Amino acid sequence: MDEDEHFKPGQQVPVSGIYACDCGQGHHWSTDVAGHTFPPLPCAGSTWRLQTRAHEQ
């Protein structure tokens, strides 16, 4: 997965981790689990982008 790839709300989460919205404010994030769907954005942004991958077990 490309670290700069963007995902829209409702798409399937490809990799578990912390995702940030693209609104540029740096204050909206979501912790998502692979296989779940991305939640609606809580701001004026349009996509989610992976910030930090979850640790592999």
Side-chain angles (χ1 to χ4, degrees), residues 5-23:
E5 195 169 355
H6 292 256
F7 303 94
K8 294 183 179 181
Q11 284 185 299
Q12 186 173 359
V13 177
V15 175
S16 295
I18 298 172
Y19 289 79
C21 70
D22 65 352
C23 73

Side-chain angles (χ1 to χ4, degrees), residues 4-5 7-9 21 26 32 34 39 41-42 46 50 53 57:
D4 290 327
E5 195 169 355
F7 303 94
K8 294 183 179 181
C21 70
D32 296 297
L41 288 153
S46 60
L50 181 64
R53 289 178 183 258
Q57 296 287 339

